[in-house]
Amino acid sequence: MKSGKSQAIPPGFHELESFTSTSEAETLNWASAFAVGLVPGDNLALSGELGAGKTRLAQAFAKALGFEGDTHSPSYALILEYDAPTPLFHVDLYRLSEGADWEEIGLEYYAERGGIMLMEWPERLGKTHFPFSYWLRLDITGETSRLITVFRAGL
């Protein structure tokens, strides 16, 4: 069931680590451990095909960062803000056409607020240069297994 569709990583990012998860629980545990190392101002791109687990990863991040409420996909709202000790902004650009201007849709406001931003479908920004700290690529390798590759900007 391997997807074979690996997302292109923009120039300026270098592979930091990769993790092969064999279950949803392992993926969520990895996300929780990774999230506690994030700092205010970190902006993360979450890329991968439909069903790769981007929203579930964002939900694990929210919980690990101290948000106690329910989390949902922001597909229709575009951006959801979670009131955690460090604000968490969950963005889903799936419904936008490619080449969206991040400043025009208001992402600059969130990027400057000192929280942590998780952005699903960052490819929709096209050639626009958004200040991502990390790029996480999720590749489907089986029914419940995923390869998560973390890229860091500017190393």
Side-chain angles (χ1 to χ4, degrees), residues 4-31:
K5 293 184 179 180
S6 186
Q7 304 292 321
I9 305 303
F13 285 84
H14 305 280
E15 187 171 334
L16 188 62
E17 67 177 272
S18 64
F19 173 72
T20 300
S21 170
T22 59
S23 69
E24 183 177 2
E26 278 187 357
T27 300
L28 298 178
N29 287 337
W30 177 88

Side-chain angles (χ1 to χ4, degrees), residues 23 25 41-42 77 115 152:
S23 69
D42 278 341
R152 178 83 165 122

Side-chain angles (χ1 to χ4, degrees), residues 13-101:
F13 285 84
H14 305 280
E15 187 171 334
L16 188 62
E17 67 177 272
S18 64
F19 173 72
T20 300
S21 170
T22 59
S23 69
E24 183 177 2
E26 278 187 357
T27 300
L28 298 178
N29 287 337
W30 177 88
S32 295
F34 187 82
V36 297
L38 298 174
V39 297
D42 278 341
N43 298 312
L44 288 78
L46 305 177
S47 69
E49 64 185 282
L50 279 172
K54 297 177 294 296
T55 298
R56 291 293 288 135
L57 209 64
Q59 291 168 336
F61 277 41
K63 185 175 181 181
L65 294 171
F67 180 71
E68 296 179 7
D70 291 331
T71 55
H72 307 281
S73 174
S75 292
Y76 293 100
L78 186 65
I79 302 170
L80 294 177
E81 182 174 343
Y82 299 120
D83 186 23
T86 299
L88 180 65
F89 312 113
H90 184 189
V91 180
D92 188 334
L93 302 180
Y94 181 73
R95 301 205 178 280
L96 297 182
S97 58
E98 189 170 331
D101 184 327

